[in-house]
């Protein structure tokens, strides 16, 4: 039974590569272009792409696409810098789209 006590993980929906942990969810209230997304305090086994400035609903942010390190699928993005004071808490955090991650080990 000890195996069932491990952390609840999320994996890439294509290759099941473990990319984040349920305990690291900061917010489930994010909206991505194709549906809901979760904000995570960190992610693992991902590759962060080049930075770019994007105008989002909540203002100007510097973001970078986040790719699965195994299959290269884009899973979401990382907030590198937020320019609005109220959005600063997102800096260094990851948004992963809900339909691109699957529950592993739950
Ligand atoms: Zn993958």
């Amino acid at each position: 039974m000890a195996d069932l006590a491990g952390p609840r993980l999320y994996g890439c929906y294509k290759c099941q590569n473990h990319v984040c942990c349920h305990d690291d969810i900061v917010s489930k209230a994010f909206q991505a272009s194709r549906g809901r997304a979760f904000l995570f305090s960190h992610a693992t086994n991902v590759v962060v792409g080049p930075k770019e400035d994007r105008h989002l609903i909540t203002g100007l942010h510097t973001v970078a696409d986040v790719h699965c390190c195994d299959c290269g699928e884009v899973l979401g993005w990382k907030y590198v810098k937020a320019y609005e004071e109220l959005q600063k808490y997102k800096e260094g955090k990851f948004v992963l789209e809900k339909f691109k991650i699957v529950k592993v080990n739950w």
Side-chain angles (χ1 to χ4, degrees):
M1 293 297 281
D3 287 345
L4 297 175
R8 291 179 293 172
L9 301 171
Y10 286 101
C12 166
Y13 78 117
K14 279 200 166 167
C15 70
Q16 270 76 58
N17 175 29
H18 294 170
V19 291
C20 49
C21 182
H22 181 77
D23 292 341
D24 294 330
I25 292 178
V26 177
S27 170
K28 288 186 170 185
F30 272 65
Q31 194 68 33
S33 55
R34 283 163 293 180
R36 274 164 53 105
F38 296 164
L39 182 69
F40 289 89
S41 57
H42 45 268
T44 54
N45 300 322
V46 293
V47 177
V48 178
K51 290 181 251 181
E52 60 177 67
D53 287 339
R54 278 187 208 161
H55 287 277
L56 307 174
I57 300 163
T58 47
L60 179 64
H61 295 75
T62 303
V63 300
D65 282 338
V66 171
H67 303 258
C68 170
C69 75
D70 267 9
C71 71
E73 179 72 13
V74 177
L75 301 176
W77 65 89
K78 178 182 182 178
Y79 286 106
V80 179
K81 184 170 171 59
Y83 292 86
E84 302 284 336
E85 203 56 44
L86 283 173
Q87 308 299 328
K88 288 278 185 193
Y89 74 97
K90 296 180 191 166
E91 287 183 349
K93 296 191 174 72
F94 295 82
V95 173
L96 301 178
E97 295 188 70
K98 194 181 174 199
F99 81 98
K100 291 199 168 178
I101 53 175
V102 291
K103 292 173 180 179
V104 180
N105 195 32
W106 289 52

